[in-house]
Amino acid sequence: MKIPSVNGNIKGWVLRTRTYFRRNSPVFLLGKCYHFKYEESESSPDRSDSGSLTNEDAFGNVEDFRKDFISRIWLTYREEFPQLEGSTWSTDCGWGCTLRTGQMLLAQGLLVHFIGRDWLWPNALDLYRPEAEFWLQNSTRKLAPIEASYNTPTYGTTSSDPGATTENEDENQSAFYHRRIISWFSDHPAADFGIHRLIRIGRKSGKVAGDWYGPAIVSHLLRKAKKESADPELQSFSIYVAQDCTIYRDDVYDPQDNTAADKSVLILVPVRLGGERTNIEYFEFVKGMLSLEYCVGIIGGRPKQSYYFVGFQDDSLIYMDPHYCQSFVDVSTKDFPLESFHCPSPKKMPFKKMDPSCALGFYCRNSRDFEKVIEELTKVLKSSSRQNYPLFTFVNGHAQDFDFGSAPVYEQNDLFTKEEKNKLKSFNAEEFVLL
């Protein structure tokens, strides 16, 4: 299948020009709920209550939803970036979609960590035009290559000063971290969570550029990338990946470590929602997850295509799509353009089309948040129709307490466990279709 290009030079599938939302059903976006109904004082000209709402209409707090959605960081295929180590690739178009969805989930976790869930990009609505097509020209054009020197890269920094004392200090600090978070995902070898770093880490366990990366593998790549990061801004932030659908509480927050209680943790839980196909009985569970304020999304998709799921309406999931090839942006330059890092409009798909393999993400600002997460997730797990077979569990203690024959996963030099390596070897490349 050919790759859809944002400038139309590469042919791909035909894009729908509108995404439809029902105005009588609530819409959930990463723990927030939006209603698109008319206000009681307003009339409904030429429309019935059972009608549909398109992205071109504006009823109720639709504008608030648009601002919120567009403010999320959008990371897509890129081309013309520095060559990936050990390969001839200078693009991830056609194979890096799961890496991109994993990056988007982590970016959302970092946004919540540094700026807060309520933050909205001031320029969000500049990307939305009622008369425009679904993908707007100003956000999906092919960006011109930027000439720059990489002798002294400054990834993770911007021209803004977060310590500046001005009357708009909060806005300045939010703007600083907005750019800084994006820079951590730059397509350059120096970026902490960039595709170059993730590919380099994956090579240690036999994964190379051009390979298929599933949600579980990407979860571990992100964890390892964070562990390797020396950026002082990231030292109060960690990533935990559940093992065999089990979250070991003392591995997330060790009660013996007095300094750990105030550390923030992004919890990633790789799960499978069925066998070859997703079991529709899990939909209420997924909806419950996306309704929680601690949820930062799901690395998932449909078979052979990875999407970043951020919400739902009725029986449809709302997602951000990485399958658009944009040009490399040099984020080390002053005031680099932000438009291509924000998606102007959401997309939807029926839950029944979701691939069963996915990874859930939750952010805990401290140990108190973690206890609340356990409480809320336990309620959702118990309310599931498959409560006798929960998708994942919380267990007291450390993982090593339940496996006396091996060292803890997090102390191993290698990225994957022996079992994970065997699973990787069993994958047949022909099982996966590159997009």
Side-chain angles (χ1 to χ4, degrees):
M1 182 177 292
K2 296 183 179 180
I3 309 304
S5 175
V6 294
N7 69 337
N9 290 339
I10 303 177
K11 294 181 180 180
W13 54 75
V14 177
L15 300 179
R16 293 185 303 166
T17 58
R18 296 179 181 85
T19 296
Y20 289 87
F21 290 90
R22 293 185 61 83
R23 66 169 175 264
N24 291 324
S25 299
V27 176
F28 285 85
L29 179 67
L30 297 172
K32 288 185 175 290
C33 180
Y34 294 92
H35 295 273
F36 294 165
K37 292 181 179 180
Y38 284 104
E39 299 294 337
E40 291 184 4
S41 60
E42 295 180 345
S43 61
S44 303
D46 300 324
R47 294 178 184 270
S48 65
D49 289 342
S50 59
S52 296
L53 175 72
T54 75
N55 281 338
E56 297 184 357
D57 297 321
F59 307 135
N61 60 355
V62 174
E63 185 172 287
D64 292 337
F65 170 76
R66 287 184 182 131
K67 288 180 182 178
D68 195 358
F69 179 85
I70 295 173
S71 297
R72 303 313 107 206
I73 293 177
W74 185 39
L75 299 166
T76 71
Y77 288 153
R78 295 279 174 172
E79 61 183 354
E80 302 169 359
F81 53 62
Q83 187 170 302
L84 293 168
E85 179 182 347
S87 77
T88 59
W89 291 97
S90 60
T91 177
D92 65 316
C93 293
W95 55 270
C97 58
T98 314
L99 293 170
R100 297 300 186 180
T101 55
Q103 287 179 323
M104 283 190 268
L105 185 147
L106 175 55
Q108 175 59 20
L110 291 170
L111 280 176
V112 176
H113 179 68
F114 287 104
I115 309 178
R117 175 62 184 90
D118 294 332
W119 173 80
L120 298 174
W121 183 35
N123 298 334
L125 291 185
D126 292 347
L127 294 188
Y128 177 80
R129 297 177 185 172
E131 71 279 7
E133 292 186 353
F134 186 83
W135 299 105
L136 305 181
Q137 292 181 353
N138 68 330
S139 66
T140 59
R141 67 187 185 278
K142 186 177 178 63
L143 301 176
I146 299 175
E147 298 294 334
S149 170
Y150 295 101
N151 293 329
T152 56
T154 56
Y155 291 87
T157 63
T158 72
S159 58
S160 303
D161 179 2
T165 303
T166 67
E167 59 182 5
N168 297 320
E169 183 175 352
D170 290 342
E171 290 82 356
N172 289 342
Q173 182 159 316
S174 294
F176 169 83
Y177 279 116
H178 179 200
R179 289 181 175 274
R180 185 155 192 171
I181 291 169
I182 290 175
S183 75
W184 280 324
F185 297 93
S186 170
D187 300 311
H188 187 274
D192 291 77
F193 304 115
I195 194 167
H196 293 74
R197 182 70 57 89
L198 301 181
I199 294 299
R200 181 182 61 77
I201 295 173
R203 288 185 66 199
K204 297 177 182 178
S205 294
K207 302 293 289 181
V208 298
D211 281 355
W212 173 267
Y213 295 79
I217 293 174
V218 169
S219 297
H220 284 281
L221 291 175
L222 295 174
R223 173 185 64 81
K224 188 68 172 179
K226 166 57 194 71
K227 187 176 181 181
E228 289 186 358
S229 174
D231 193 316
E233 292 277 6
L234 293 169
Q235 298 315 301
S236 63
F237 180 90
S238 63
I239 298 177
Y240 172 86
V241 181
Q243 303 176 48
D244 298 323
C245 299
T246 303
I247 299 174
Y248 295 94
R249 297 177 59 156
D250 291 354
D251 286 336
V252 180
Y253 284 99
D254 190 344
Q256 304 302 319
D257 184 354
N258 296 327
T259 65
D262 293 326
K263 192 169 187 177
S264 299
V265 178
L266 175 65
I267 300 174
L268 299 175
V269 188
V271 297
R272 193 164 182 86
L273 305 177
E276 294 184 2
R277 297 181 179 180
T278 296
N279 191 318
I280 59 174
E281 293 188 24
Y282 284 121
F283 189 35
E284 291 303 315
F285 167 83
V286 172
K287 290 166 68 173
M289 295 288 107
L290 291 170
S291 302
L292 298 178
E293 62 176 309
Y294 303 100
C295 181
V296 292
I298 299 174
I299 305 172
R302 66 176 72 210
K304 317 302 187 277
Q305 300 179 27
S306 184
Y307 301 143
Y308 172 41
F309 293 118
V310 294
F312 67 90
Q313 183 185 46
D314 295 330
D315 292 335
S316 294
L317 292 165
I318 300 171
Y319 66 92
M320 298 173 71
D321 190 351
H323 301 92
Y324 295 89
C325 196
Q326 304 188 80
S327 289
F328 165 72
V329 174
D330 179 10
V331 303
S332 69
T333 60
K334 180 180 179 180
D335 298 327
F336 63 88
L338 295 168
E339 289 80 6
S340 69
F341 296 101
H342 290 277
C343 181
S345 191
K347 299 182 76 173
K348 293 173 69 178
M349 62 167 265
F351 173 77
K352 62 184 180 181
K353 293 185 178 180
M354 181 181 181
D355 188 278
S357 180
C358 62
L360 315 174
F362 305 95
Y363 170 78
C364 304
R365 187 168 296 278
N366 48 45
S367 59
R368 295 181 296 279
D369 264 8
F370 180 53
E371 294 302 321
K372 294 178 182 177
V373 167
I374 294 175
E375 180 181 352
E376 294 298 323
L377 289 179
T378 300
K379 291 179 182 178
V380 175
L381 288 167
K382 287 184 176 180
S383 65
S384 170
S385 60
R386 289 179 168 265
Q387 57 182 306
N388 294 328
Y389 304 95
L391 284 175
F392 60 92
T393 59
F394 293 92
V395 174
N396 293 327
H398 297 277
Q400 66 189 66
D401 298 336
F402 299 86
D403 186 3
F404 302 102
S406 63
V409 172
Y410 295 104
E411 293 181 3
Q412 294 181 359
N413 294 325
D414 221 346
L415 175 63
F416 302 111
T417 64
K418 182 177 180 180
E419 181 181 358
E420 290 171 330
K421 284 187 174 182
N422 290 334
K423 290 181 180 179
L424 290 176
K425 292 179 181 178
S426 67
F427 287 159
N428 186 324
E430 295 183 356
E431 292 179 49
F432 304 101
V433 178
L434 296 183
L435 303 181

mmCIF file of all heavy atoms in Angstrom, residues 52 59 63 84 95 112 130 145 159 170 177 200 235 249 283 294 302 311 357 369 381 392-393 397 423 435:
data_model
loop_
_atom_site.group_PDB
_atom_site.id
_atom_site.type_symbol
_atom_site.label_atom_id
_atom_site.label_comp_id
_atom_site.label_asym_id
_atom_site.label_seq_id
_atom_site.Cartn_x
_atom_site.Cartn_y
_atom_site.Cartn_z
ATOM 1 N N SER A 52 -26.996 14.353 12.985
ATOM 2 C CA SER A 52 -25.578 14.207 13.252
ATOM 3 C C SER A 52 -24.899 15.562 13.259
ATOM 4 O O SER A 52 -25.404 16.531 12.702
ATOM 5 C CB SER A 52 -24.931 13.303 12.195
ATOM 6 O OG SER A 52 -25.464 12.016 12.264
ATOM 7 N N PHE A 59 -22.061 23.502 18.062
ATOM 8 C CA PHE A 59 -23.143 23.516 19.036
ATOM 9 C C PHE A 59 -22.561 23.244 20.421
ATOM 10 O O PHE A 59 -21.611 22.503 20.575
ATOM 11 C CB PHE A 59 -24.195 22.453 18.723
ATOM 12 C CG PHE A 59 -24.714 22.518 17.310
ATOM 13 C CD1 PHE A 59 -24.858 21.362 16.570
ATOM 14 C CD2 PHE A 59 -25.049 23.730 16.737
ATOM 15 C CE1 PHE A 59 -25.338 21.421 15.268
ATOM 16 C CE2 PHE A 59 -25.529 23.797 15.448
ATOM 17 C CZ PHE A 59 -25.668 22.642 14.708
ATOM 18 N N GLU A 63 -16.466 23.999 20.421
ATOM 19 C CA GLU A 63 -15.217 24.750 20.289
ATOM 20 C C GLU A 63 -14.218 24.337 21.364
ATOM 21 O O GLU A 63 -13.012 24.252 21.103
ATOM 22 C CB GLU A 63 -15.494 26.250 20.365
ATOM 23 C CG GLU A 63 -14.266 27.103 20.106
ATOM 24 C CD GLU A 63 -14.586 28.568 20.000
ATOM 25 O OE1 GLU A 63 -15.157 28.974 18.975
ATOM 26 O OE2 GLU A 63 -14.276 29.307 20.964
ATOM 27 N N LEU A 84 19.201 7.025 9.769
ATOM 28 C CA LEU A 84 19.129 6.205 10.974
ATOM 29 C C LEU A 84 20.360 5.308 11.078
ATOM 30 O O LEU A 84 20.823 4.753 10.072
ATOM 31 C CB LEU A 84 17.860 5.345 10.952
ATOM 32 C CG LEU A 84 16.533 6.117 11.056
ATOM 33 C CD1 LEU A 84 15.362 5.198 10.738
ATOM 34 C CD2 LEU A 84 16.375 6.710 12.450
ATOM 35 N N TRP A 95 6.625 2.173 7.958
ATOM 36 C CA TRP A 95 6.927 1.156 8.982
ATOM 37 C C TRP A 95 6.966 1.703 10.411
ATOM 38 O O TRP A 95 6.938 0.930 11.361
ATOM 39 C CB TRP A 95 8.261 0.480 8.691
ATOM 40 C CG TRP A 95 9.432 1.433 8.544
ATOM 41 C CD1 TRP A 95 9.872 2.019 7.395
ATOM 42 C CD2 TRP A 95 10.291 1.923 9.582
ATOM 43 N NE1 TRP A 95 10.949 2.842 7.644
ATOM 44 C CE2 TRP A 95 11.226 2.792 8.985
ATOM 45 C CE3 TRP A 95 10.355 1.701 10.960
ATOM 46 C CZ2 TRP A 95 12.221 3.446 9.713
ATOM 47 C CZ3 TRP A 95 11.348 2.354 11.686
ATOM 48 C CH2 TRP A 95 12.260 3.210 11.061
ATOM 49 N N VAL A 112 0.986 16.655 30.486
ATOM 50 C CA VAL A 112 0.293 16.658 31.777
ATOM 51 C C VAL A 112 1.290 16.913 32.904
ATOM 52 O O VAL A 112 1.016 17.658 33.854
ATOM 53 C CB VAL A 112 -0.456 15.330 32.004
ATOM 54 C CG1 VAL A 112 -1.097 15.302 33.391
ATOM 55 C CG2 VAL A 112 -1.524 15.134 30.926
ATOM 56 N N PRO A 130 -13.851 26.351 9.262
ATOM 57 C CA PRO A 130 -15.102 25.655 8.917
ATOM 58 C C PRO A 130 -15.209 25.310 7.448
ATOM 59 O O PRO A 130 -15.768 24.280 7.088
ATOM 60 C CB PRO A 130 -16.182 26.665 9.333
ATOM 61 C CG PRO A 130 -15.540 27.489 10.390
ATOM 62 C CD PRO A 130 -14.092 27.607 9.979
ATOM 63 N N PRO A 145 12.633 22.043 3.460
ATOM 64 C CA PRO A 145 13.771 21.615 4.272
ATOM 65 C C PRO A 145 14.458 22.815 4.903
ATOM 66 O O PRO A 145 14.554 23.892 4.298
ATOM 67 C CB PRO A 145 14.683 20.919 3.251
ATOM 68 C CG PRO A 145 13.777 20.532 2.131
ATOM 69 C CD PRO A 145 12.746 21.615 2.064
ATOM 70 N N SER A 159 14.350 29.244 22.612
ATOM 71 C CA SER A 159 14.765 30.610 22.854
ATOM 72 C C SER A 159 14.075 31.206 24.079
ATOM 73 O O SER A 159 14.442 32.268 24.544
ATOM 74 C CB SER A 159 14.453 31.478 21.630
ATOM 75 O OG SER A 159 13.073 31.423 21.339
ATOM 76 N N ASP A 170 3.194 32.467 33.563
ATOM 77 C CA ASP A 170 2.608 31.147 33.366
ATOM 78 C C ASP A 170 2.511 30.804 31.891
ATOM 79 O O ASP A 170 2.822 29.681 31.483
ATOM 80 C CB ASP A 170 1.220 31.076 34.012
ATOM 81 C CG ASP A 170 1.292 31.086 35.527
ATOM 82 O OD1 ASP A 170 2.384 30.808 36.065
ATOM 83 O OD2 ASP A 170 0.264 31.379 36.163
ATOM 84 N N TYR A 177 7.652 24.881 27.702
ATOM 85 C CA TYR A 177 7.574 23.425 27.797
ATOM 86 C C TYR A 177 6.855 22.818 26.586
ATOM 87 O O TYR A 177 7.150 21.684 26.199
ATOM 88 C CB TYR A 177 6.897 23.017 29.104
ATOM 89 C CG TYR A 177 7.850 23.045 30.269
ATOM 90 C CD1 TYR A 177 7.656 23.921 31.329
ATOM 91 C CD2 TYR A 177 8.966 22.203 30.303
ATOM 92 C CE1 TYR A 177 8.545 23.958 32.397
ATOM 93 C CE2 TYR A 177 9.859 22.242 31.359
ATOM 94 C CZ TYR A 177 9.646 23.124 32.402
ATOM 95 O OH TYR A 177 10.532 23.164 33.455
ATOM 96 N N ARG A 200 18.001 2.900 17.819
ATOM 97 C CA ARG A 200 19.296 2.472 18.372
ATOM 98 C C ARG A 200 19.102 1.513 19.539
ATOM 99 O O ARG A 200 19.803 0.496 19.648
ATOM 100 C CB ARG A 200 20.108 3.694 18.825
ATOM 101 C CG ARG A 200 21.478 3.327 19.402
ATOM 102 C CD ARG A 200 22.229 4.557 19.877
ATOM 103 N NE ARG A 200 21.540 5.274 20.926
ATOM 104 C CZ ARG A 200 21.504 4.867 22.203
ATOM 105 N NH1 ARG A 200 22.096 3.736 22.566
ATOM 106 N NH2 ARG A 200 20.864 5.580 23.106
ATOM 107 N N GLN A 235 14.387 13.914 35.183
ATOM 108 C CA GLN A 235 14.784 13.036 36.274
ATOM 109 C C GLN A 235 13.667 12.784 37.282
ATOM 110 O O GLN A 235 13.718 11.811 38.046
ATOM 111 C CB GLN A 235 16.030 13.603 36.975
ATOM 112 C CG GLN A 235 17.240 13.704 36.054
ATOM 113 C CD GLN A 235 17.453 12.454 35.210
ATOM 114 O OE1 GLN A 235 17.635 11.356 35.739
ATOM 115 N NE2 GLN A 235 17.422 12.595 33.881
ATOM 116 N N ARG A 249 3.128 -3.262 42.579
ATOM 117 C CA ARG A 249 3.003 -1.957 43.222
ATOM 118 C C ARG A 249 4.327 -1.417 43.742
ATOM 119 O O ARG A 249 4.626 -0.223 43.598
ATOM 120 C CB ARG A 249 1.980 -2.034 44.357
ATOM 121 C CG ARG A 249 0.585 -2.383 43.878
ATOM 122 C CD ARG A 249 -0.410 -2.535 45.010
ATOM 123 N NE ARG A 249 -0.540 -1.324 45.822
ATOM 124 C CZ ARG A 249 -1.611 -1.033 46.539
ATOM 125 N NH1 ARG A 249 -2.641 -1.851 46.566
ATOM 126 N NH2 ARG A 249 -1.661 0.069 47.252
ATOM 127 N N PHE A 283 -15.318 -3.456 25.068
ATOM 128 C CA PHE A 283 -15.486 -2.053 24.717
ATOM 129 C C PHE A 283 -15.833 -1.204 25.934
ATOM 130 O O PHE A 283 -15.326 -0.082 26.091
ATOM 131 C CB PHE A 283 -16.552 -1.888 23.630
ATOM 132 C CG PHE A 283 -16.621 -0.493 23.082
ATOM 133 C CD1 PHE A 283 -15.477 0.278 22.952
ATOM 134 C CD2 PHE A 283 -17.836 0.061 22.706
ATOM 135 C CE1 PHE A 283 -15.530 1.568 22.441
ATOM 136 C CE2 PHE A 283 -17.902 1.353 22.200
ATOM 137 C CZ PHE A 283 -16.755 2.103 22.063
ATOM 138 N N TYR A 294 -6.788 10.114 34.701
ATOM 139 C CA TYR A 294 -5.381 9.712 34.725
ATOM 140 C C TYR A 294 -4.933 9.077 33.412
ATOM 141 O O TYR A 294 -3.740 8.841 33.209
ATOM 142 C CB TYR A 294 -5.145 8.716 35.867
ATOM 143 C CG TYR A 294 -5.550 9.243 37.218
ATOM 144 C CD1 TYR A 294 -6.763 8.881 37.807
ATOM 145 C CD2 TYR A 294 -4.725 10.136 37.917
ATOM 146 C CE1 TYR A 294 -7.141 9.390 39.050
ATOM 147 C CE2 TYR A 294 -5.096 10.637 39.154
ATOM 148 C CZ TYR A 294 -6.301 10.261 39.719
ATOM 149 O OH TYR A 294 -6.677 10.762 40.940
ATOM 150 N N ARG A 302 -5.965 -0.440 14.148
ATOM 151 C CA ARG A 302 -6.667 -1.536 13.501
ATOM 152 C C ARG A 302 -5.593 -2.479 12.970
ATOM 153 O O ARG A 302 -4.412 -2.126 12.963
ATOM 154 C CB ARG A 302 -7.586 -1.022 12.396
ATOM 155 C CG ARG A 302 -6.886 -0.396 11.210
ATOM 156 C CD ARG A 302 -7.896 -0.013 10.144
ATOM 157 N NE ARG A 302 -8.693 1.135 10.535
ATOM 158 C CZ ARG A 302 -9.952 1.332 10.128
ATOM 159 N NH1 ARG A 302 -10.542 0.446 9.348
ATOM 160 N NH2 ARG A 302 -10.606 2.409 10.490
ATOM 161 N N GLY A 311 -10.021 8.967 22.762
ATOM 162 C CA GLY A 311 -11.369 9.152 23.277
ATOM 163 C C GLY A 311 -12.381 8.299 22.541
ATOM 164 O O GLY A 311 -12.034 7.394 21.785
ATOM 165 N N SER A 357 -4.324 -6.116 20.039
ATOM 166 C CA SER A 357 -3.062 -5.804 20.708
ATOM 167 C C SER A 357 -2.940 -4.298 20.923
ATOM 168 O O SER A 357 -3.034 -3.515 19.977
ATOM 169 C CB SER A 357 -1.882 -6.299 19.863
ATOM 170 O OG SER A 357 -0.655 -6.006 20.492
ATOM 171 N N ASP A 369 -1.448 9.849 43.850
ATOM 172 C CA ASP A 369 -2.157 9.640 42.591
ATOM 173 C C ASP A 369 -2.203 8.163 42.236
ATOM 174 O O ASP A 369 -3.212 7.657 41.736
ATOM 175 C CB ASP A 369 -1.472 10.407 41.455
ATOM 176 C CG ASP A 369 -2.127 11.756 41.200
ATOM 177 O OD1 ASP A 369 -2.995 12.148 41.997
ATOM 178 O OD2 ASP A 369 -1.760 12.412 40.205
ATOM 179 N N LEU A 381 -12.179 -2.393 36.152
ATOM 180 C CA LEU A 381 -11.919 -3.817 35.908
ATOM 181 C C LEU A 381 -13.054 -4.680 36.464
ATOM 182 O O LEU A 381 -13.468 -5.651 35.835
ATOM 183 C CB LEU A 381 -10.584 -4.220 36.543
ATOM 184 C CG LEU A 381 -9.334 -3.688 35.844
ATOM 185 C CD1 LEU A 381 -8.102 -3.876 36.729
ATOM 186 C CD2 LEU A 381 -9.122 -4.390 34.508
ATOM 187 N N PHE A 392 -5.696 -6.996 33.451
ATOM 188 C CA PHE A 392 -4.455 -6.859 34.205
ATOM 189 C C PHE A 392 -4.789 -6.741 35.681
ATOM 190 O O PHE A 392 -5.946 -6.503 36.047
ATOM 191 C CB PHE A 392 -3.629 -5.656 33.727
ATOM 192 C CG PHE A 392 -4.319 -4.338 33.852
ATOM 193 C CD1 PHE A 392 -4.175 -3.557 34.992
ATOM 194 C CD2 PHE A 392 -5.095 -3.847 32.813
ATOM 195 C CE1 PHE A 392 -4.810 -2.333 35.106
ATOM 196 C CE2 PHE A 392 -5.731 -2.617 32.920
ATOM 197 C CZ PHE A 392 -5.585 -1.858 34.065
ATOM 198 N N THR A 393 -3.798 -6.925 36.512
ATOM 199 C CA THR A 393 -4.015 -6.927 37.951
ATOM 200 C C THR A 393 -2.934 -6.117 38.660
ATOM 201 O O THR A 393 -1.849 -5.879 38.113
ATOM 202 C CB THR A 393 -4.006 -8.354 38.525
ATOM 203 O OG1 THR A 393 -2.732 -8.960 38.237
ATOM 204 C CG2 THR A 393 -5.111 -9.190 37.924
ATOM 205 N N GLY A 397 4.140 -5.964 46.332
ATOM 206 C CA GLY A 397 5.501 -6.485 46.265
ATOM 207 C C GLY A 397 6.199 -6.129 44.965
ATOM 208 O O GLY A 397 5.715 -5.343 44.150
ATOM 209 N N LYS A 423 9.524 -14.544 21.455
ATOM 210 C CA LYS A 423 8.336 -14.110 20.725
ATOM 211 C C LYS A 423 8.719 -13.309 19.492
ATOM 212 O O LYS A 423 8.124 -13.446 18.427
ATOM 213 C CB LYS A 423 7.429 -13.277 21.637
ATOM 214 C CG LYS A 423 6.738 -14.078 22.729
ATOM 215 C CD LYS A 423 5.845 -13.188 23.563
ATOM 216 C CE LYS A 423 5.139 -13.998 24.658
ATOM 217 N NZ LYS A 423 4.273 -13.131 25.503
ATOM 218 N N LEU A 435 2.610 -0.281 5.768
ATOM 219 C CA LEU A 435 1.634 0.676 5.227
ATOM 220 C C LEU A 435 2.255 1.526 4.130
ATOM 221 O O LEU A 435 3.391 1.897 4.203
ATOM 222 C CB LEU A 435 1.145 1.557 6.363
ATOM 223 C CG LEU A 435 0.522 0.784 7.522
ATOM 224 C CD1 LEU A 435 0.055 1.765 8.591
ATOM 225 C CD2 LEU A 435 -0.622 -0.073 7.055
#
